[in-house]
């Protein structure tokens, strides 16, 4: 058996060990850090511009509910005040036939503006609106300027759940 003095010393030493290693003080990022791929440049930001939106994205988190987007490829033209073009996307749907969960059509997206906020609207090939999503945040690559992550919230739902789409490739 251990003596009480030896056991007490062990507990004090263990307490000091556990107490060490608190949060390190954060050193301010050097000026121009946003030009590098750093943690500071990987933060999500308001969608004030949708430049660099075109590309392929896959859903990251949380998993898709029924009839929600799991992946999308956006092609088209980026203007200063909007992005528009065509899309191919996959939705979460039980499919008895291969490819029945794939949809194509046109889209348009607006950056953050006072009237409606940032939004992306998907239309079918006949021009009828399929659905729309609010764009709440974006993440950009400091190297390419392209959007690498986008947080969407499906419009028209009673209890919408934000989800993240991550760019595939650059």
């Amino acid at each position: 058996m251990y003596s009480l003095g030896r056991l007490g010393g062990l507990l004090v030493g263990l307490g000091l060990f556990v107490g060490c290693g608190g949060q390190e003080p954060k050193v301010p990022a050097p000026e121009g850090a946003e030009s590098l791929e750093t943690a500071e440049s990987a933060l999500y930001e308001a969608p004030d511009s949708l430049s660099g939106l075109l590309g392929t994205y896959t859903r990251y988190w949380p998993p898709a509910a029924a009839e929600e987007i799991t992946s999308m490829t956006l092609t088209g033209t980026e203007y200063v005040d909007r992005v528009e073009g065509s899309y191919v996307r996959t939705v979460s749907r039980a499919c008895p036939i291969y490819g029945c969960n794939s949809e194509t059509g046109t889209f348009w997206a607006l950056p953050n503006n006072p009237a409606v906020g940032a939004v992306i609207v998907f239309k079918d090939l006949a021009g009828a609106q399929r659905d729309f999503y609010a764009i709440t945040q974006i993440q950009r690559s400091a190297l390419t300027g392209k959007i690498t992550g986008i947080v969407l919230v499906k419009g028209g739902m009673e209890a919408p759940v934000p989800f993240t789409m991550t760019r595939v490739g650059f």
Side-chain angles (χ1 to χ4, degrees):
M1 279 232 149
Y2 294 107
S3 69
L4 187 57
R6 191 171 183 188
L7 184 58
L10 179 65
L11 290 176
V12 168
L14 184 58
L16 288 173
F17 177 73
V18 171
C20 292
Q23 188 173 4
E24 295 292 323
K26 185 170 176 155
V27 177
E31 195 161 322
E34 58 273 1
S35 65
L36 305 171
E37 282 292 337
T38 64
E40 286 80 11
S41 68
L43 299 175
Y44 279 84
E45 58 189 46
D48 294 329
S49 166
L50 294 180
S51 171
L53 176 67
L54 300 176
T56 300
Y57 298 84
T58 188
R59 189 173 180 132
Y60 179 67
W61 186 259
E67 298 299 317
E68 286 192 1
I69 298 174
T70 57
S71 67
M72 65 181 179
T73 299
L74 306 174
T75 57
T77 306
E78 294 178 347
Y79 300 98
V80 174
D81 61 342
R82 70 189 185 285
V83 179
E84 59 186 40
S86 59
Y87 71 88
V88 175
R89 70 182 192 176
T90 306
V91 295
S92 178
R93 178 184 302 148
C95 283
I97 303 168
Y98 179 76
C100 76
N101 61 343
S102 190
E103 299 175 346
T104 59
T106 61
F107 80 95
W108 57 268
L110 297 175
N112 205 4
N113 71 56
V116 295
V119 66
I120 184 166
V121 176
F122 294 97
K123 295 182 175 188
D124 63 16
L125 291 173
Q129 182 176 312
R130 277 201 166 121
D131 50 21
F132 66 95
Y133 292 83
I135 302 170
T136 60
Q137 297 178 355
I138 59 172
Q139 180 181 36
R140 289 191 184 278
S141 166
L143 265 75
T144 64
K146 292 182 180 178
I147 294 174
T148 58
I150 184 170
V151 178
L152 300 175
V153 178
K154 189 169 186 175
M157 296 183 65
E158 284 186 33
V161 176
F163 61 94
T164 303
M165 301 286 286
T166 304
R167 181 180 290 275
V168 179
F170 289 89

